[in-house]
Amino acid sequence: MSAGFDRAGFRSVCAIEIDQHARDSHRTNFSSLVPGGDYAAHADITEVSPVDATAHLDPLFGTADSRIDVIVGGPPCQAFSRLGRARLWDLAGKKHAHAQDARSTMYEYYLGYVEQLRPIAFVMENVREMGKFVGRNLAEEIALRAEELGYETRYTILNAVWYGVPQLRERLFVIGISKELAVEPSLPAIEYDYELPVGYSTSRAGQGRIEVLEPHDHYVDHWLRKRNLCAAITTEMAFADLPPIYDHLDGRTGKGVVRDVNKRVPYVPVKNNFTKEMRSWPHFTNGADSFTGHVIRYTPRDYETFRRMPHGGMYPEALETARSIFAERVAAHEQSTGAQLMQGSKQWQQILNATVPPYPDNRYPNKFRKMWPSHPARTLPAHIGKDSYSHIHFDSDQARCISLREAARLQSFPDGFHFCGSMNAQLRQIGNAVPPLLAYAVARELRKTLAKALRQC
């Protein structure tokens, strides 16, 4: 969110982020952009008051309600998202455990900041399921609460692919503007064209179908489009100037081998509008002829499966492919030894373990997915901080999951943006983030609306 708002001309003077690595990343990238060093970062929103969080601005702007123009943020989504919801059910051993998760009420602290700091405007982001949470439309409840605080509020569901992000990613945005300005929040017009698959709420945008529960008086069925739409950015376009990776296939690299996330790798001399933007983003320009973060996870068991999987193939296809490879390897072993390999034997089990993934075949069919080169990627989850099977590279010859830099590209993070922490910590930050290009579209529209209101004053 901060990267997109920074590009639209806003400055991040205060950050509240409980994840230390993400907080370090925010400080590293944005503290130096604030005039006079007037920046502060805090960990736990439940333990720092709005007044204390912004106290460093007191000498400049006086009382708390004069310090901040805009508040942006995304309260934790785990209790709302379908994947997070299922995980909570597993941990608790019962359905609807997400309703008792403390993170489902964190938005109240966010609204507390709005109430005390009285910004001109605010933007809250979350997963679309916030509009359908245990029979409640929390987005509408937030809008009503903001209205009581003096804000004209609207909310909708936007898809990142509409704004040049090479990824199908739906997120719900709640936007509020002080009623004193006498303007309604407006939403960024769709700029990129893509026929969304069935299952995405945004595939039905503009058809009068409400994608949240009643009441939904502040919901906007957004379908404002620019006249001349661009073609959606594909994964092949997003990775065009990133060189292929084959080192993992030579048998010399594997689990336990240290990866250098800061190692610089030369770009491939191929450019398009998206790659140029990722290398020339204001404040995060990468003027060098090389970049960092082109490292991957090592999963030797799966390389041949990755190679043979069809584009768009998910875990059922991966499992079928792996079992076919296993059968071939058993047959080859029997041919070379001249003896039948008994099912369940030690050698049989060793080949099985070295070939077939052990995950259940009746849950999470999208745990594996091999991307299409000519389409945007599917949603990049925070789970990518644990494994990268959800985004297998489309190039079968490379037979791998995406690299750290490729994950950042799918989220539209500029190459000059610096992430702190290990590879896993960086991937988690990327998966948790709002795509900067999506945030930029929202921020640019908000700034335009605020400028219009100021001209009318």
Side-chain angles (χ1 to χ4, degrees):
M1 285 276 272
S2 296
F5 272 75
D6 178 85
R7 182 168 174 177
F10 298 89
R11 294 293 172 267
S12 296
V13 295
C14 182
I16 313 290
E17 171 55 60
I18 199 166
D19 182 288
Q20 179 180 339
H21 294 304
R23 190 167 63 255
D24 290 343
S25 295
H26 195 279
R27 181 186 292 107
T28 297
N29 288 282
F30 299 108
S31 62
S32 63
L33 301 178
V34 182
D38 294 311
Y39 173 92
H42 307 276
D44 191 342
I45 197 171
T46 69
E47 296 182 358
V48 58
S49 71
V51 174
D52 291 340
T54 58
H56 63 292
L57 300 171
D58 184 51
L60 291 175
F61 302 105
T63 58
D65 59 1
S66 302
R67 297 172 185 169
I68 302 295
D69 292 323
V70 179
I71 292 178
V72 303
C77 68
Q78 287 85 350
F80 306 126
S81 72
R82 285 171 294 174
L83 287 176
R85 187 178 302 177
R87 177 61 176 157
L88 289 170
W89 290 11
D90 284 346
L91 291 173
K94 61 180 181 179
K95 290 186 176 182
H96 307 301
H98 60 294
Q100 282 77 48
D101 191 287
R103 291 171 295 186
S104 68
T105 62
M106 294 299 291
Y107 68 88
E108 294 175 0
Y109 289 94
Y110 178 102
L111 290 175
Y113 269 64
V114 173
E115 181 176 11
Q116 291 194 42
L117 297 178
R118 295 290 174 177
I120 298 171
F122 72 86
V123 179
M124 181 189 291
E125 172 271 347
N126 217 289
V127 294
R128 68 180 187 182
E129 286 81 10
M130 195 178 213
K132 299 179 179 179
F133 179 70
V134 198
R136 296 166 58 191
N137 181 353
L138 288 184
E140 183 67 26
E141 293 180 21
I142 290 168
L144 289 170
R145 175 65 178 137
E147 190 173 83
E148 293 173 354
L149 295 175
Y151 291 88
E152 193 69 44
T153 309
R154 300 289 184 273
Y155 62 95
T156 193
I157 300 171
L158 302 177
N159 200 308
V161 76
W162 290 344
Y163 304 101
V165 180
Q167 181 189 168
L168 310 184
R169 188 185 190 92
E170 290 182 322
R171 286 298 182 266
L172 185 147
F173 286 83
V174 185
I175 304 172
I177 299 177
S178 174
K179 290 182 178 180
E180 294 179 2
L181 296 184
V183 292
E184 291 185 4
S186 56
L187 299 165
I190 296 168
E191 303 174 32
Y192 289 77
D193 187 38
Y194 187 77
E195 186 175 347
L196 293 164
V198 174
Y200 284 87
S201 294
T202 43
S203 68
R204 298 177 288 276
Q207 299 178 17
R209 176 169 172 175
I210 305 301
E211 295 296 328
V212 295
L213 298 177
E214 293 183 344
H216 42 63
D217 296 337
H218 295 80
Y219 178 77
V220 178
D221 182 18
H222 182 56
W223 192 240
L224 177 64
R225 298 159 66 91
K226 290 191 173 181
R227 287 186 177 180
N228 300 313
L229 296 179
C230 301
I233 305 300
T234 67
T235 55
E236 190 171 42
M237 294 168 64
F239 300 166
D241 59 345
L242 307 181
I245 297 176
Y246 300 112
D247 294 349
H248 58 296
L249 301 175
D250 62 13
R252 290 178 295 174
T253 57
K255 290 186 177 181
V257 177
V258 177
R259 286 159 292 227
D260 183 0
V261 296
N262 296 313
K263 179 182 178 181
R264 301 204 69 86
V265 178
Y267 287 108
V268 171
V270 177
K271 294 182 180 180
N272 56 51
N273 288 338
F274 179 82
T275 62
K276 290 177 183 176
E277 189 167 26
M278 293 301 97
R279 294 165 64 172
S280 60
W281 189 289
H283 291 162
F284 299 102
T285 297
N286 183 26
D289 58 1
S290 61
F291 64 99
T292 61
H294 207 34
V295 293
I296 65 170
R297 288 193 172 94
Y298 301 126
T299 58
R301 179 198 64 206
D302 307 306
Y303 296 156
E304 188 61 25
T305 298
F306 293 163
R307 187 191 310 280
R308 298 193 196 183
M309 281 179 67
H311 291 131
M314 298 193 294
Y315 189 61
E317 289 81 9
L319 199 57
E320 181 181 357
T321 302
R323 287 170 175 166
S324 176
I325 297 169
F326 169 67
E328 292 175 8
R329 290 176 177 177
V330 168
H333 182 274
E334 291 177 340
Q335 184 175 11
S336 65
T337 61
Q340 185 177 3
L341 197 59
M342 298 298 295
Q343 182 174 342
S345 66
K346 182 178 179 180
Q347 187 65 47
W348 182 92
Q349 191 65 46
Q350 286 178 342
I351 298 174
L352 179 72
N353 293 344
T355 309
V356 181
Y359 315 112
D361 59 1
N362 59 349
R363 299 177 64 192
Y364 309 129
N366 57 353
K367 180 176 178 60
F368 279 50
R369 188 191 294 272
K370 186 171 180 177
M371 301 184 298
W372 291 277
S374 56
H375 292 271
R378 296 298 178 94
T379 304
L380 194 78
H383 186 80
I384 201 168
K386 296 182 179 180
D387 70 60
S388 305
Y389 291 125
S390 63
H391 288 74
I392 300 166
H393 201 288
F394 54 79
D395 183 359
S396 297
D397 290 339
Q398 295 186 56
R400 61 176 176 85
C401 293
I402 59 173
S403 73
L404 174 62
R405 175 54 52 199
E406 289 163 345
R409 282 282 182 92
L410 292 182
Q411 281 280 59
S412 74
F413 271 104
D415 294 355
F417 192 95
H418 181 75
F419 295 97
C420 297
S422 65
M423 181 181 77
N424 287 356
Q426 293 186 34
L427 284 168
R428 184 178 67 251
Q429 293 171 59
I430 292 169
N432 268 325
V434 176
L437 277 177
L438 173 57
Y440 174 52
V442 173
R444 188 178 55 204
E445 187 67 21
L446 176 62
R447 184 170 180 127
K448 184 172 67 175
T449 302
L450 296 180
K452 176 183 176 181
L454 291 173
R455 287 196 299 269
Q456 294 174 348
C457 291

